[in-house]
């Protein structure tokens, strides 16, 4: 069989997943260099990956894109490396950790790193949220590794490869000694992996971050000195070019009339009140139908939610992507039913009388059916209460056993 060919940019940690998996399975992966912005826009490349992204793998059967799918393909080419463990349970645990990286590690990592690389604009609040989300994820990983050398079983699996490579840029660029000190087990595990010959031959020598890189901040223009009359037009032009960017316009929801419902106060009440039914009473005592609206959200494709942990990751990603609307929204989203068709539904409280434009731009929004609730109807109020409390009839919902949920606040 012809060797698989991996099209990738140089130093791409996403591509490293498949290359390292190949080394553990004794499979040499041929690489083909991609000049991003040039190669990936050609007709030939777009036939391999219509998204125009890297990496993409050419196989005898056809192309494969998405780095985790590529790594899984290589890991399954033979079983010599036992990259999916020793049995079906271990194979499922490997998949569990790979799926976990997509939202619990990759999303906050991108939110923190992309402004540093100049890919997106720096936002202090988004960066702070990303750091907190990473701390939560690393705490889970740290506890799991407390008495373990590897993530699954007693040897390196594809789970270790994928999670390690997902964390590599973080460890090199931003996770300084002060950040790392709370996660000694993760650091020990990471260093163990990157110093294995099959890793080191691909990633090279890894040096942990000493000082966290920071996103560039746009400089404020210096005052323009007075110029002679003859040079005034040139000075004015220079001043215009160097002027600081105009301030970002206030969010349109901030211009709404004051409301008796203080959303931050509601979030604190919900978090601190042990009896959620009492919290609900506070909510309705303060609810302002002129200043807020409530929508029921239902995931449209439950037939795709075949695994519990994958559905949790799906919902977790949607919640994280909704971060831009956090100041103006509250939600309780629940998982119902059982494998292989887990249902996802919940209620969202929004500032204003419509779904905010920011929310409609959230990745995954189109996968949910949003329906406005008439809060003058006692039955609809009871439905909202049930979702807030994670128990009840949920408006006569046919499948109403709650598996778990997530609160957006």
């Amino acid at each position: 069989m012809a060797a698989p060919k991996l099209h990738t940019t140089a130093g791409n940690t996403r591509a490293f997943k498949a290359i390292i998996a190949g080394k553990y399975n004794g499979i040499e992966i041929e690489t083909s260099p991609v000049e991003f912005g040039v190669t990936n826009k050609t007709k030939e490349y777009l036939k391999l990956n219509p998204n125009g992204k890297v990496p993409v793998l050419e196989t005898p059967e056809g192309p494969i894109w998405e780095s985790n799918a590529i790594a899984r393909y290589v890991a399954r080419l033979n079983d010599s490396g036992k990259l999916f463990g020793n049995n079906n349970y271990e194979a499922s645990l490997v998949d569990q950790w790979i799926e976990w990286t997509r939202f619990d590690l990759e999303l906050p990592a991108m939110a923190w790193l992309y402004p540093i690389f100049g890919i997106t604009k720096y936002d202090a609040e988004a960066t702070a949220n990303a750091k907190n989300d990473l701390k939560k994820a690393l705490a889970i990983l740290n506890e799991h590794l407390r008495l373990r050398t590897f993530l699954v079983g007693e040897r390196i699996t594809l789970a270790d490869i994928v999670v390690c490579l997902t964390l590599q840029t973080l460890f090199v660029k931003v996770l300084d000694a002060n950040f790392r000190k709370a996660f000694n087990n993760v650091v020990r595990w990471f260093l163990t992996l990157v110093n294995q010959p099959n890793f080191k031959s691909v990633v090279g020598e890894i040096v942990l971050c000493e000082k966290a890189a920071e996103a560039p901040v746009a400089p404020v223009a210096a005052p323009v000195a007075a110029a002679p009359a003859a040079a005034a037009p040139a000075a004015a032009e220079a001043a215009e070019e160097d002027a600081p960017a105009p301030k970002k316009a206030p969010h349109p929801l901030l211009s709404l009339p004051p409301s008796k419902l203080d959303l931050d106060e509601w979030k604190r009440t919900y978090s601190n009140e042990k009896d959620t039914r009492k919290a609900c009473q506070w909510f309705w005592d303060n609810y302002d139908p002129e200043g807020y609206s409530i929508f029921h959200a239902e995931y449209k494709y439950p037939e795709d939610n075949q695994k519990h942990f994958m559905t949790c990751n799906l919902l977790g990603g949607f919640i994280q992507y909704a971060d831009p609307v956090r100041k103006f929204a509250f939600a309780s989203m629940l998982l119902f039913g059982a494998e292989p068709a887990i249902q996802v539904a919940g209620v969202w409280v929004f500032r204003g009388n419509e779904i905010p434009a920011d929310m409609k731009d959230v990745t995954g929004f189109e996968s949910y059916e949003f329906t406005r609730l008439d809060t003058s109807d006692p039955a609809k109020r009871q439905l909202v209460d049930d979702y807030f409390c994670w128990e009840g009839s949920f408006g006569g919902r046919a499948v109403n056993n709650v598996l778990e949920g997530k609160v957006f606040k």
Side-chain angles (χ1 to χ4, degrees):
M1 185 178 87
K5 180 188 289 186
L6 188 65
H7 299 264
T8 181
T9 50
N12 189 330
T13 56
R14 294 177 184 271
F16 289 169
K17 302 172 190 177
I19 297 172
I20 293 172
K23 289 187 176 294
Y24 277 96
N25 269 356
I27 299 166
E28 195 63 36
I29 306 294
E30 180 186 350
T31 58
S32 175
V34 171
E35 183 183 353
F36 197 77
V38 179
T39 311
N40 61 310
K41 291 186 176 181
T42 63
K43 290 182 179 179
E44 293 76 16
Y45 191 91
L46 293 173
K47 287 180 181 178
L48 299 175
N49 185 351
N51 301 291
K53 297 180 180 179
V54 291
V56 61
L57 184 72
E58 276 193 85
T59 79
E61 299 89 351
I64 302 173
W65 32 272
E66 292 298 326
S67 62
N68 289 343
I70 294 170
R72 284 181 167 119
Y73 173 86
V74 174
R76 292 188 179 111
L77 283 177
N78 67 56
D79 196 36
S80 62
K82 295 292 182 184
L83 291 179
F84 278 97
N86 292 307
N87 52 54
N88 185 52
Y89 176 67
E90 289 190 352
S92 295
L93 290 180
V94 170
D95 279 330
Q96 166 190 286
W97 286 107
I98 293 174
E99 293 296 326
W100 179 75
T101 64
R102 294 175 57 211
F103 299 110
D104 291 75
L105 290 183
E106 286 189 14
L107 284 179
M110 289 188 290
W112 190 355
L113 292 170
Y114 277 14
I116 293 173
F117 297 144
I119 299 173
T120 59
K121 291 183 179 180
Y122 172 72
D123 182 286
E125 184 178 0
T127 298
N129 288 336
K131 291 178 182 180
N132 288 332
D133 288 342
L134 271 171
K135 286 178 180 178
K136 293 175 185 176
L138 291 176
I140 292 171
L141 191 59
N142 198 65
E143 177 59 25
H144 180 77
L145 290 167
R146 185 167 60 89
L147 299 176
R148 295 177 175 89
T149 304
F150 304 113
L151 290 177
V152 179
E154 301 300 324
R155 60 188 296 166
I156 290 173
T157 65
L158 189 62
D160 296 288
I161 295 171
V162 171
V163 178
C164 177
L165 270 299
T166 303
L167 289 171
Q168 179 181 316
T169 305
L170 289 164
F171 268 111
V172 172
K173 291 291 184 182
V174 292
L175 301 187
D176 58 21
N178 186 55
F179 195 104
R180 297 193 303 264
K181 66 183 180 183
F183 311 110
N184 289 332
N185 300 326
V186 178
V187 175
R188 177 254 304 159
W189 163 84
F190 177 80
L191 292 176
T192 297
L193 292 177
V194 297
N195 283 291
Q196 298 297 310
N198 284 338
F199 276 79
K200 203 165 188 176
S201 63
V202 176
V203 304
E205 191 72 34
I206 295 295
V207 179
L208 298 181
C209 172
E210 294 184 3
K211 182 180 179 181
E214 296 181 357
V217 179
V220 178
V224 178
E237 183 179 344
E240 183 178 342
E241 289 179 356
D242 293 339
K247 291 183 178 180
K248 188 177 180 180
H251 196 285
L253 292 179
L254 293 174
S255 64
L256 293 178
S259 171
K260 71 173 185 176
L261 176 58
D262 184 329
L263 194 60
D264 288 334
E265 183 63 26
W266 159 240
K267 292 177 180 181
R268 286 191 291 270
T269 300
Y270 183 85
S271 298
N272 297 329
E273 177 57 68
K274 293 182 180 179
D275 186 341
T276 50
R277 293 293 175 184
K278 286 185 179 179
C280 289
Q281 185 59 54
W282 185 97
F283 178 81
W284 293 117
D285 287 345
N286 292 274
Y287 183 66
D288 169 20
E290 299 298 321
Y292 286 85
S293 54
I294 302 180
F295 288 77
H296 178 264
E298 181 92 24
Y299 188 69
K300 299 177 184 177
Y301 314 107
E303 66 276 8
D304 293 343
N305 300 332
Q306 298 186 9
K307 294 294 183 182
H308 186 168
F309 74 88
M310 293 175 70
T311 310
C312 287
N313 288 339
L314 172 81
L315 178 57
F318 181 60
I319 291 292
Q320 284 186 308
Y321 280 129
D323 193 68
V325 79
R326 191 177 297 273
K327 289 181 180 179
F328 308 104
F330 173 88
S332 178
M333 295 291 293
L334 306 179
L335 272 58
F336 298 95
E339 298 176 352
I342 297 172
Q343 300 175 16
V344 182
V347 291
W348 286 77
V349 180
F350 295 116
R351 185 74 167 99
N353 290 314
E354 301 290 341
I355 298 175
D358 294 348
M359 186 67 189
K360 293 179 180 179
D361 289 338
V362 168
T363 300
F365 174 83
E366 68 283 351
S367 296
Y368 290 82
E369 187 70 40
F370 278 81
T371 306
R372 182 192 294 273
L373 298 179
D374 178 5
T375 55
S376 66
D377 181 350
K380 299 304 183 186
R381 288 194 173 209
Q382 183 61 52
L383 175 65
V384 173
D385 286 3
D386 290 351
Y387 276 105
F388 284 174
C389 298
W390 295 22
E391 61 181 9
S393 65
F394 299 97
R397 188 183 186 89
V399 179
N400 61 16
N401 61 306
V402 177
L403 297 176
E404 62 179 284
K406 292 184 181 293
V407 174
F408 179 78
K409 58 185 179 179

